[in-house]
Amino acid sequence: MSLNSTPQSVRIHIGLFGKRNAGKSSIINAISDQDIAIVSDIAGTTTDPVFRPMEILPIGPCVLIDTAGLDDIGFLGQLRVSKSLDILNKTDIALVIVDSSLGISSEDLEIINLLKSKEIPYILVLNKIDKIEDKNKLINSTNLQVQCPIVCVSSINKDGMDKLKQIIINNVKYESSNLQLVSDLIKPDDLIVLVIPIDKAAPKGRLILPQQQVIRDILDSGSTAIMTKETTLKETLSCLNKKPSLIISDSQVFSQVSKDTPQDIPLTSFSILFARQKGDLEELVKGTKAVEDLKDGDRILIAEGCTHHRQDDDIGTFKIPNWLKNHTKKELIFEYSSGITFTDNITKYKLIIHCGACMMNRKAMLNRINKAKEYNIPIVNYGVLISYLNNILDRSLEPLLFQHI
Ligand code: SF4
């Protein structure tokens, strides 16, 4: 994907699951009308999940996720199956691909049960229909085993692909892509000031994805965005002949920015905007209550949605642990997870602190929050926690018209 493409995190995620050689990669090629996935008759050609961005109108930007076969074998095969199942956590709609000549397998039924339990919409795709003489008989017998939309396709001659796309369009939920970051909080002609520190962690020559996305949302709403660093905020405000409707700050400089922002100008952070768009802001705010109950020896999980190169003063591994230790005056044990896999055992943690999740889709973040809720483990995100520790949580939530708990 090029740097100018729609970020993966705001694309509808369409996961393809099924046994090896069911034709998942061929279907991706047929849907996209391009040879973007490697296809082979050798079972198990797809190993790690592969993300294929494309556009399906009127849904818009999507990503098709090609996964390893659910019947993969051996130690490595089982690891690949487990990675395929991880993909369920970010899947907005699933296609269960079945080789028509073999019929539905126990693996297909297992994944269907998982999809049902996770309330993920799914479509059963009977592939290789060109090998079947009596299509209606097959559909009727399949209908007896599963109650879901069924579509017959042939990835070889591309039969049924338009119907498959239409069924995807009819069944996908648009929620992930419809939630706004900031445009619902501002009006056309508003002036918004963004405070962006350029520190050691800032990538050379560009802004990071959350900043780009907020700027784009502001421009889409017809407002004006101006950017400044925390060191030049006071001067910037004094030069303006119009009062900003909102200041959006990087969380790491929130405390300074709050001091330099007059009380009559609403203030929030990028991270809080993302907490609202990607997850359950109310639950993340509720999680701050756990901070005051932390005791010596308590374990804290710091979870990040992607892996990235860490600087010495990294926010997740250095700044947040130190701020929290200073605030609580307790000897806390910090553990870390990053990337697609969350963590299997969350019950040992007294608090989960999650990053802003800009690289994750809403589905994946909500799954993590729901897992924490299920086990009664408080969860916060970086921005919410930093505001809380700096005693400016109420102020930073106010622009979101949030009913504080
Ligand atoms: S760690 Fe989290 S907030 Fe940072 S870039 Fe990755 S997904 Fe985005």
Side-chain angles (χ1 to χ4, degrees), residues 208-210 303-308 310 354-360 382:
I208 58 173
L209 183 59
E304 295 194 331
C306 71
T307 50
H308 55 90
R310 294 183 194 285
H354 206 288
C355 73
C358 72
M359 305 288 279
M360 296 168 61
Y382 286 5

Side-chain angles (χ1 to χ4, degrees), residues 16-30 37 39-40 46 66 97-99 125 127-128 153-156 161:
L16 281 81
F17 303 91
K19 285 174 66 173
R20 288 174 298 165
N21 250 346
K24 299 182 287 297
S25 304
S26 317
I27 286 179
I28 286 186
N29 286 344
V39 174
S40 146
T46 304
D66 199 359
I97 314 295
V98 173
D99 181 339
V125 182
N127 189 24
K128 307 188 186 179
V153 304
S154 163
S155 51
I156 301 289
M161 289 304 156

